[in-house]
């Protein structure tokens, strides 16, 4: 139990320490924000002077430049001015709004979800967003988002936008697919093979993700860029801090702009998309409702054919594990479920049980209760072994007390004699620790599962109005460092049951209780976790509370009905008698431990002899 608590505490401390921004990073963010503000002011002045904005791409330098609107207009039949017209297409899941300005998807409303304030969840709805192809046409730089496309064809579930020149056209076709939250998207370029000199079309994608959840800081910490390469390996930018990376034109199958419970993903159906620089940046103003600004500089391979087609798909919807997994492209990896063994435990054990219970039970509080009962039941044999091992050491309390009286000032000798008692009675001092460690993967897997489960989003239980965020029974008028400005009742209950559980363990394991340092760690950890878990999702703290409560009940039941202290002591004394008549054999662990104690005792004796000589 102590090992488990220490490991969890170390993981949380290291995780928070490693991911906190350094002073240099904070200063760099301030400088970047100031520079961005100056650039924005300069751009606004330039726009006012030119009376319209036309951004293009310099293919040689990979930087944005300005061209006159008259040059841009002369290349197309349509004028590069005006706001453009909007068209809305709907399914039972989404309401997608398209704009003729750039011929792009401009706004997506998810019908089955609401924000924390009760408004519809809307993705990709910021006037600063970009989804623009940039290339050279007749040696003139072009940015498609600056031009009005004509609606070439429209139906109940599809729309085609076309930008026409004298020689051919650029076409973007959208069709609301059969898969939920998915939009089939094709880029067609016809008859322009002699006018387009580039062999890659630069696609600049930029999203200002907006707050959807109650706790903006927690949501911001779970927002970043994810992508999958051609070998199906998934990687991502840091979530808790600003992060940028240059992928050096690496080919990817999909690029996802992911926030806590939703994501916007561009998927290449056949060929991969090459990716250059990607970035995930926090807003400089903490009051800004923008979670992060995510950008990706991508490159579509252009083969200069007379009828070029590049099929893609856009997913814009929830981070629901099974929904993403059904797409069969590894997109479920944007739902972070831990690494290595913890992710496997979630995928192959926790999620199937959770989904099974979800089919028949409507209350997620009851589902978590039954899930906890099921897990604690199947782990009962390990729990029993652990408690029995502690009970054996507790049954040897008279012998251990006698050793302390005999060697009151010699800790090494006490430990050595204690090990002899354990060896003579067949007690393994680490026998109670191993079963606890075997349960750790499930305990830690839950730490990742509940914060990532969209099923708990805005689901209430008892006093918790939303199991995906903290449950507050009282808001403080001030902020306590590390604790926050609210009081979570589930966290208090979790800490309280941890203390009760620790006290009962101390009664069963007197050797640990007699060690002041060990006793301090045992009772300190629940208080420490009280601060760490106060802002964690209620679903997680509720689970840990139930787990502690059930463990406490199991331990009382085992102690009262399954283990008899007198009978256990008789068994130990009988084992001692049998071993007294047999050659003593120690296992390797006992041999190493005894050797270590003897070496410590020899060093201590040597130090005492040196002091006497001095």
């Amino acid at each position: 139990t102590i090992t488990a608590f220490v490991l969890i505490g170390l993981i949380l401390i290291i995780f928070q320490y490693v991911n906190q921004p350094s002073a240099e990073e904070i200063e760099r963010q301030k400088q970047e924000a100031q520079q961005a503000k100056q650039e924005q002011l300069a751009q606004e002045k330039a726009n006012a002077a030119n009376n319209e904005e036309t951004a293009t791409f310099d293919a040689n330098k990979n930087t944005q430049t300005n061209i006159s609107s008259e040059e841009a207009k002369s290349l197309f039949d349509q004028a590069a001015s005006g706001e453009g017209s909007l068209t809305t297409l709907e399914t039972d899941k989404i309401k997608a709004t398209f704009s003729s300005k750039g011929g792009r998807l401009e706004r997506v409303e998810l019908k089955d979800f609401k924000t924390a304030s009760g408004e519809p969840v809307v993705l990709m709805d910021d006037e600063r967003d970009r989804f623009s192809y940039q290339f050279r046409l007749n040696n003139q730089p072009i940015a498609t988002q600056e031009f009005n496309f004509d609606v070439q064809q429209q139906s109940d579930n599809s729309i085609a936008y076309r930008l026409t020149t004298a020689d051919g056209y650029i076409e973007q076709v959208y069709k609301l697919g059969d898969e939920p939250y998915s939009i089939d998207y094709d880029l067609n370029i016809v008859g322009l093979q002699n006018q387009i000199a580039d062999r890659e079309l630069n696609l600049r994608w930029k999203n200002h993700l907006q707050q959807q959840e109650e706790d903006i800081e927690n949501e911001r910490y779970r927002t970043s860029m994810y992508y999958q390469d051609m070998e199906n390996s998934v990687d991502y930018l840091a979530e808790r801090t600003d992060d940028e990376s240059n992928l050096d034109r690496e080919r990817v199958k999909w690029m996802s702009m992911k926030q806590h419970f939703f994501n916007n993903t561009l998927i290449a159906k056949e060929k991969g998309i090459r990716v250059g620089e990607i970035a995930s940046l926090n807003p400089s103003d903490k009051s800004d409702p923008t979670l992060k600004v995510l950008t990706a500089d991508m490159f579509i391979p252009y083969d200069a054919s007379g009828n070029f087609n590049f099929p893609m798909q856009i997913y814009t919807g929830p981070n629901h594990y099974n929904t993403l997994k059904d797409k069969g492209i590894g997109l479920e990896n944007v739902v972070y479920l831990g690494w290595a063994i913890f992710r496997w435990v979630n995928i192959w054990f926790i999620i199937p049980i959770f989904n099974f219970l979800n089919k028949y039970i409507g209350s997620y509080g009851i589902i978590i209760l039954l899930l906890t009962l099921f897990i604690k039941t199947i782990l009962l044999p390990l729990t029993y072994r652990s408690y029995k091992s502690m009970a054996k050491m507790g049954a040897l309390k008279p012998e251990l007390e006698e050793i302390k009286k005999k060697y009151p000032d010699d800790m090494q000798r006490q430990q050595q004699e204690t090990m002899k008692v354990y060896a003579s009675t067949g007690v393994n001092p680490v026998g109670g620790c191993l079963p606890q460690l075997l349960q750790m993967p499930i305990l830690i897997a839950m730490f990742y599962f509940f914060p990532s489960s969209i099923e708990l989003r805005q689901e209430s239980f008892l006093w918790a109005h939303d199991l995906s965020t903290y449950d507050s029974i009282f808001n403080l008028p001030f902020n306590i460092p590390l604790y926050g400005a609210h009081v979570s009742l589930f966290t208090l209950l979790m800490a309280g049951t941890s203390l009760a559980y620790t006290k009962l363990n101390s009664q069963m394991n007197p050797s640990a209780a007699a060690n002041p340092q060990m006793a301090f760690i045992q009772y300190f950890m629940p208080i420490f976790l009280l601060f760490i878990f106060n802002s964690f999702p209620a679903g997680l703290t509720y689970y840990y509370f139930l787990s502690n409560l059930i463990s406490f009940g199991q331990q009382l039941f085992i102690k009262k009905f399954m283990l008899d202290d007198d009978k256990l002591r008789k068994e130990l004394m009988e084992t001692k008698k049998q071993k007294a008549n047999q050659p003593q054999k120690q296992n390797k662990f006992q041999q190493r431990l005894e050797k270590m104690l003897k070496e410590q005792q020899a060093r201590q004796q040597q130090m005492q002899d040196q002091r006497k000589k001095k």
Side-chain angles (χ1 to χ4, degrees):
T1 303
I2 295 168
T3 305
F5 278 135
V6 171
L7 286 174
I8 292 174
L10 288 175
I11 289 172
L12 295 173
I13 292 172
I14 293 172
F15 183 75
Q16 291 193 355
Y17 177 78
V18 170
N19 287 284
Q20 67 179 356
S22 64
E24 291 79 5
E25 290 174 333
I26 294 173
E27 182 62 27
R28 179 173 58 83
Q29 292 173 17
K30 291 181 179 178
Q31 293 176 356
E32 290 175 350
Q34 186 175 3
Q35 182 180 357
K37 188 174 182 179
Q38 292 175 351
E39 291 176 352
Q40 183 179 1
L41 291 174
Q43 186 65 42
E44 290 175 354
K45 291 179 180 178
N47 292 341
N50 295 330
N51 205 16
E52 59 185 286
E53 178 187 16
T54 310
T56 62
F57 182 69
D58 185 333
N60 296 322
K61 296 183 179 179
N62 246 16
T63 57
Q64 285 190 341
T65 59
N66 293 324
I67 64 170
S68 70
S69 58
E70 292 300 323
E71 288 181 87
K73 290 178 184 178
S74 66
L75 297 174
F76 297 95
D77 294 340
Q78 294 84 16
S81 62
E83 294 299 323
S85 61
L86 301 179
T87 302
T88 300
L89 304 178
E90 298 186 43
T91 67
D92 60 332
K93 297 292 185 182
I94 65 173
K95 180 187 293 186
T97 302
F98 302 87
S99 174
S100 63
K101 191 74 169 179
R104 70 186 186 96
L105 177 62
E106 185 173 273
R107 183 181 190 272
V108 176
E109 178 182 325
L110 306 184
K111 295 183 176 181
D112 295 338
F113 299 92
K114 300 290 184 183
T115 66
S117 60
E119 300 295 325
V121 169
V122 176
L123 308 178
M124 295 192 296
D125 185 30
D126 194 294
E127 60 183 10
R128 298 168 292 178
D129 290 348
R130 292 190 67 82
F131 190 90
S132 180
Y133 294 97
Q134 303 184 139
F135 53 91
R136 290 174 298 165
L137 182 66
N138 290 341
N139 289 323
Q140 293 293 330
I142 298 299
T144 58
Q145 188 161 324
E146 306 306 324
F147 294 88
N148 275 310
F149 284 61
D150 286 335
V151 177
Q152 184 66 22
Q153 187 177 1
Q154 181 180 346
S155 66
D156 291 340
N157 67 338
S158 66
I159 187 169
Y161 287 105
R162 184 174 292 184
L163 185 62
T164 306
T165 72
D167 300 304
Y169 59 84
I170 303 168
E171 185 178 61
Q172 299 181 80
V173 181
Y174 301 88
K175 180 181 179 182
L176 274 60
D178 297 329
E179 299 177 11
Y181 308 104
S182 298
I183 302 173
D184 293 326
Y185 170 52
D186 280 43
L187 173 65
N188 302 317
I189 301 179
V190 178
L192 301 179
Q193 66 275 18
N194 296 324
Q195 282 73 41
I196 298 179
D198 302 314
R199 289 298 170 260
E200 288 182 324
L201 310 176
N202 180 217
L203 172 57
R204 293 200 161 184
W205 190 20
K206 183 177 185 179
N207 262 353
H208 295 72
L209 300 183
Q210 301 301 313
Q211 179 183 0
Q212 310 289 351
E213 312 306 320
E214 180 178 350
D215 187 352
I216 188 171
E217 287 302 318
N218 182 60
E219 187 179 7
R220 185 170 286 147
Y221 288 158
R222 301 177 186 276
T223 298
S224 190
M225 301 279 295
Y226 280 68
Y227 57 92
Q228 184 182 62
D229 63 23
M230 303 308 290
E231 280 71 44
N232 298 323
S233 176
V234 174
D235 204 351
Y236 55 92
L237 296 179
E239 295 186 332
R240 285 184 169 260
T241 60
D242 288 353
D243 196 10
E244 300 176 79
S245 179
N246 191 339
L247 302 188
D248 296 324
R249 304 290 181 96
E250 179 183 357
R251 291 173 63 198
V252 303
K253 292 184 176 180
W254 50 259
M255 178 65 66
S256 182
M257 296 184 172
K258 173 251 181 185
Q259 57 195 90
H260 192 177
F261 288 122
F262 306 97
N263 78 82
N264 306 316
T265 302
L266 183 65
I267 305 161
K269 286 186 177 180
E270 298 175 0
K271 304 175 183 178
I273 302 175
R274 294 191 181 276
V275 181
E277 294 183 355
I278 58 176
S280 172
L281 304 176
N282 288 288
S284 56
D285 184 1
K286 291 297 183 181
S287 63
D288 190 341
T290 302
L291 292 176
K292 285 185 180 179
V293 180
L294 305 182
T295 58
D297 204 15
M298 299 180 286
F299 301 88
I300 307 294
Y302 178 64
D303 59 11
S305 64
N307 191 2
F308 172 78
N309 170 256
F310 194 84
M312 293 172 276
Q313 189 181 73
I314 299 172
Y315 176 89
T316 175
N319 296 332
H320 182 257
Y321 183 84
N322 283 352
T323 300
L324 299 177
K325 185 179 180 181
D326 288 344
K327 296 187 71 64
I329 58 174
L331 193 55
E332 68 275 8
N333 287 286
V334 303
V335 182
Y336 189 69
L337 297 172
W339 50 273
I341 187 172
F342 309 123
R343 182 175 181 83
W344 301 337
V345 169
N346 277 320
I347 292 174
W348 300 108
F349 181 65
I350 302 300
I351 291 179
I353 298 173
F354 186 87
N355 290 338
F356 174 79
L357 295 173
N358 197 15
K359 291 180 181 179
Y360 306 101
I361 301 173
S363 170
Y364 284 96
I366 302 299
I367 290 175
I368 295 173
L369 171 61
L370 295 177
L371 177 64
T372 311
L373 284 170
F374 178 76
I375 292 173
K376 299 302 289 186
T377 299
I378 64 174
L379 293 177
L380 185 58
L382 291 176
T383 304
Y384 174 75
R385 285 193 59 185
S386 178
Y387 292 165
K388 186 175 182 180
S389 179
M390 288 189 293
K392 285 181 178 180
M393 289 188 285
L396 296 174
K397 184 176 181 180
E399 283 77 5
L400 301 183
E401 292 293 336
E402 185 65 28
I403 291 173
K404 292 178 184 177
K405 291 179 181 178
K406 190 174 182 180
Y407 309 102
D409 300 322
D410 193 342
M411 291 297 298
Q412 278 81 11
R413 189 60 184 272
Q414 286 184 23
Q415 294 173 351
Q416 191 174 7
E417 294 300 321
T418 299
M419 292 305 302
K420 288 181 180 179
V421 171
Y422 287 156
S424 65
T425 55
V427 172
N428 186 352
V430 297
C433 182
L434 183 59
Q436 293 287 352
L437 288 177
L438 293 175
Q439 300 179 49
M440 285 293 290
I442 294 179
L443 187 71
I444 298 178
M446 289 300 196
F447 179 81
Y448 294 110
F449 171 73
F450 285 111
S452 300
S453 299
I454 193 173
E455 290 89 347
L456 302 182
R457 183 178 184 268
Q458 298 180 358
E459 292 291 338
S460 61
F461 182 70
L462 299 178
W463 57 85
H465 69 284
D466 186 347
L467 289 172
S468 70
T469 187
Y470 56 79
D471 58 306
S472 177
I473 58 169
F474 181 72
N475 292 324
L476 302 174
F478 50 85
N479 183 72
I480 301 176
L482 297 179
Y483 186 76
H486 65 274
V487 178
S488 168
L489 182 54
F490 276 134
T491 304
L492 288 174
L493 293 173
M494 180 195 73
T497 51
S498 293
L499 286 171
Y501 179 67
T502 298
K503 185 174 182 180
L504 186 59
N505 269 341
S506 300
Q507 294 174 354
M508 296 187 69
N509 189 358
S511 61
N515 188 327
Q517 294 178 342
M518 195 73 73
F520 172 78
I521 293 175
Q522 284 182 313
Y523 288 103
F524 171 76
M525 287 307 298
I527 306 300
F528 172 76
L529 294 178
L530 181 66
F531 284 82
I532 295 297
F533 279 83
N534 190 59
S535 295
F536 276 46
L540 178 64
T541 52
Y542 171 54
Y543 164 76
Y544 282 151
F545 160 63
L546 290 175
S547 182
N548 288 339
L549 196 63
I550 295 171
S551 295
F552 187 81
Q554 285 179 338
Q555 191 165 348
L556 284 177
F557 180 82
I558 292 171
K559 184 178 181 181
K560 187 172 183 179
F561 298 104
M562 300 180 69
L563 293 177
D564 187 324
D565 291 341
D566 294 335
K567 184 178 179 180
L568 196 60
R569 180 171 174 78
K570 289 180 181 178
E571 291 178 358
L572 294 175
M573 295 301 103
E574 184 64 29
T575 301
K576 184 176 181 180
K577 290 179 181 179
Q578 293 176 359
K579 288 198 171 190
N581 300 323
Q582 297 176 356
Q584 295 297 314
K585 292 184 179 180
Q586 293 181 323
N587 58 41
K588 292 183 178 180
F589 172 78
Q590 291 172 328
Q591 292 173 1
R592 288 195 299 267
L593 188 59
E594 186 173 355
K595 181 181 178 182
M596 180 186 68
L597 291 173
K598 287 181 179 179
E599 290 175 351
Q600 289 179 346
Q601 191 173 12
R603 284 195 298 269
Q604 186 179 24
Q605 184 63 44
Q606 186 179 4
M607 292 173 63
Q608 290 177 353
D609 293 341
Q610 290 176 352
R611 292 193 191 99
K612 289 179 180 179
K613 290 181 180 180
K614 290 181 180 180

